[in-house]
Amino acid sequence: MIKRFTFGNPVNTDAVVVNDYKEAGSDEPLPFFKEEGDGTLIYKMTPDDRIYGLGEALHGINKRNHVYESWCTDEPQHNEDKLSLYGAHNFLMVDGMKDKFGIFADDPGRVRWDTGEEDRDILKISFSGSDRYIYIITPDDTHYAMKDISRQFRHIIGKSYVPPLWAFGYGQSRWGYKTEDDIRKVLENYRKADIPIDMIYMDIDYMDHYKNFTVDSEKFPDMKNFVSEMKKENIHLVPIVDAGIKEEKGYEIYEEGLKENRFVKKEDGTVFTGAVWPGRSVFPDFLNRNTRLWFGRKYKFYTDMGIDGFWNDMNEPAIFYSPEGLKKVTDKTLEIQGKNLDIDSYFEYVGIVSSIKNSEEDYRRFCHALDDGSVVNHEKVHNLYGMNMMRAVSEAFEEEGIKEDTLIFSRASYIGAHRYGGIWQGDNCSFWSHLKLNFQMMPSLNMCGFIYTGADTGGFGWNRNEELMLRWLAVSVFTPLFRNHSAMGTKEQELYRFKDIQGVRNIVWLRYRLLPFIINEYMKAVNEDTLMFSPLSFCYPEDPRAWEIEDELMLGDNVLLAPVLEEHASGRYVYLPEKMREIRFKRDGNVEIAELSAGDHRLQVPLGEVVIFTRENFRLSLCRPASNVAELDMDDVTYL
Ligand code: GLC
């Protein structure tokens, strides 16, 4: 059952779209929580309670004992000391010894979740504003309570996005492909190495001076032709589109947007300026319907060229600096010129320089004109910006009748964005901890509706090595979004560059062989509002060992994943909650099957191999591999 409680005068976020909940009476107290005067919610946990959810967030599957902040943030260096990532997803479940419930705080401002850092027995939720809806969800099925709560929640937030079939293939990306020829070479090398591929991504370098809806005609002299050349090879080119629009006289989108009042403004009515890749930029007011229509329709620029896939970026929005912020730094720099800085003055200066990026002051500087005519400061609705950028695009595709054939995913998101497209897990690094994070984040994202998701395979920042890449591939082989992406300046990581070409090839081939199964599980999760990836505890709630497992997941109802997530490991221990079949995809493409009893096992997992476990009576379908999804015959399957 779901009950909605109203506090103050909340903005309509469009996170909840199905009215299948009861409205609480105006003086009805919130169950489970004690409310403090400032709206803070306190829940007393017992020592063994587990916390799940929060979507794109750090730490493990069980979210207990940390602080998280819902605040969409451009945070590439996200180590354990960070509170926020690119998405802000306010849904959390308590799997408690005394209570089991879910809470969704529909509040697009900053929300702080202390799951036991300050006091390990207290769950404390604090809000920066006073207007919100709170949904409390209690299970109808008390045995599979977590599955049931998340299913009820998913039902009210609407069906998740389904991408075109080819978007389940493998994609290669790098911030650094500058010309048509760079991209041709990538494809040629994939073909030579006999590794399947469906997508090649175009990062900001395809644009003319990082201006959205432009192409640098020196690097891409005939984009339309190039798109069709690639299509003949069954390759989809997927360009990036950023949130900021370059502030430049004569740039059509900028001029038109100014004239038509499309950009966010400061309280004094002047257009807000902040710098991103193109330097000074302005930001479309995606929270306004007319602006969304205007912006979304601009994608015709690309779709007319035959482009059918997009990633939306920098839409937290990321702001490197504003003129006001930069002035603070330049003033201070002049002031300290020639001075001997001591410990205090040096750190004060460093603090000022680093504070101007994605600064709270800047986020407070501008406002949005909502559809109901009201004007709201950005700070109150920050977490809606990225979602509404993707919504603009998705709605335009729907209007044009091309939504089902077009891939779209975003970096920033709020709950509700899952209806418009997918998300990737933002900038990560070639760290073992980020591989683990990628794996652990899958179920929490599913709980919030995001099924088309995955991380930058191999890591975006920093340098990969072959062992990390092979282990990462063995995780991404199951994630709906399977994209290898890396940053300029890092060691290149296209798969054909690795010495163990048989190892990498085997895993990508396996992806294509598994697609009938992966897509089937994907569609089940979408149609039935279930999780594609679940913690073991959701499927085996009666098994206390399963409660603690942080490095295994269920894929659908029948497949258990236990990838190697540690460095220098020839294998790992796996816990099986019941008797299962081990299916080993060998490096040479052969499959070995063994029966394993319930309990603990030590496995050897050589690099380039993938091992999964299936429940009794489950038949895994495999098709014959192909070089891309278009050539795959998904009806011609064999069953294991
Ligand atoms: C951001 C994106 C990253 C992209 C880069 C350049 O950091 O998250 O994926 O490569 O910008 O566009």
Side-chain angles (χ1 to χ4, degrees), residues 180-192:
E180 283 186 1
D181 274 341
D182 289 348
I183 292 178
R184 282 195 189 98
K185 257 183 228 128
V186 170
L187 178 60
E188 196 182 307
N189 285 322
Y190 267 92
R191 294 287 190 246
K192 270 196 213 142

Side-chain angles (χ1 to χ4, degrees), residues 130-300:
S130 46
D131 304 314
R132 74 196 69 95
Y133 293 115
I134 298 276
Y135 296 78
I136 297 286
I137 309 164
T138 46
D140 299 329
D141 174 349
T142 48
H143 186 67
Y144 291 111
M146 293 300 108
K147 278 190 175 190
D148 183 60
I149 293 168
S150 70
R151 190 191 47 71
Q152 289 190 53
F153 176 58
R154 288 268 305 282
H155 171 63
I156 63 165
I157 59 174
K159 289 283 172 231
S160 301
Y161 167 76
V162 178
L165 217 51
W166 53 261
F168 288 96
Y170 169 77
Q172 179 61 54
S173 183
R174 180 167 171 88
W175 179 12
Y177 302 151
K178 292 201 189 307
T179 63
E180 283 186 1
D181 274 341
D182 289 348
I183 292 178
R184 282 195 189 98
K185 257 183 228 128
V186 170
L187 178 60
E188 196 182 307
N189 285 322
Y190 267 92
R191 294 287 190 246
K192 270 196 213 142
D194 198 15
I195 300 173
I197 182 163
D198 271 87
M199 289 158 275
I200 301 182
Y201 288 74
M202 296 192 294
D203 209 317
I204 46 175
D205 294 308
Y206 79 83
M207 300 182 208
D208 171 20
H209 292 90
Y210 311 121
K211 288 183 278 188
N212 287 330
F213 315 111
T214 68
V215 169
D216 183 328
S217 56
E218 267 179 32
K219 301 171 186 161
F220 293 86
D222 188 346
M223 183 62 100
K224 191 169 179 183
N225 231 335
F226 184 53
V227 173
S228 61
E229 175 190 324
M230 288 290 130
K231 277 268 167 75
K232 282 188 198 123
E233 296 276 348
N234 287 326
I235 296 295
H236 298 261
L237 289 177
V238 184
I240 196 168
V241 180
D242 286 338
I245 301 282
K246 185 171 171 61
E247 186 186 276
E248 183 183 83
K249 276 216 157 56
Y251 170 32
E252 197 189 317
I253 306 284
Y254 170 68
E255 297 280 2
E256 192 182 299
L258 272 190
K259 217 184 304 153
E260 297 183 11
N261 210 8
R262 301 295 178 211
F263 304 127
V264 294
K265 289 186 176 158
K266 299 195 235 176
E267 254 154 35
D268 65 7
T270 58
V271 171
F272 170 80
T273 302
V276 211
W277 306 120
R280 281 195 185 196
S281 303
V282 291
F283 297 85
D285 191 353
F286 296 120
L287 274 68
N288 180 277
R289 185 166 180 275
N290 291 332
T291 299
R292 281 202 299 277
L293 281 174
W294 171 77
F295 186 83
R297 287 175 184 158
K298 295 291 172 210
Y299 277 61
K300 251 181 101 39

Side-chain angles (χ1 to χ4, degrees), residues 74 76 86 173-176 203-205 240 242 277 311 313-314 411 424 426-427 456 460 483 485-488:
D74 177 11
Y86 299 86
S173 183
R174 180 167 171 88
W175 179 12
D203 209 317
I204 46 175
D205 294 308
I240 196 168
D242 286 338
W277 306 120
W311 43 314
D313 193 24
M314 307 300 275
R411 194 169 74 174
W424 92 99
D427 293 348
D456 287 346
F460 172 72
R483 178 178 82 147
H485 181 47
S486 57
M488 202 165 48

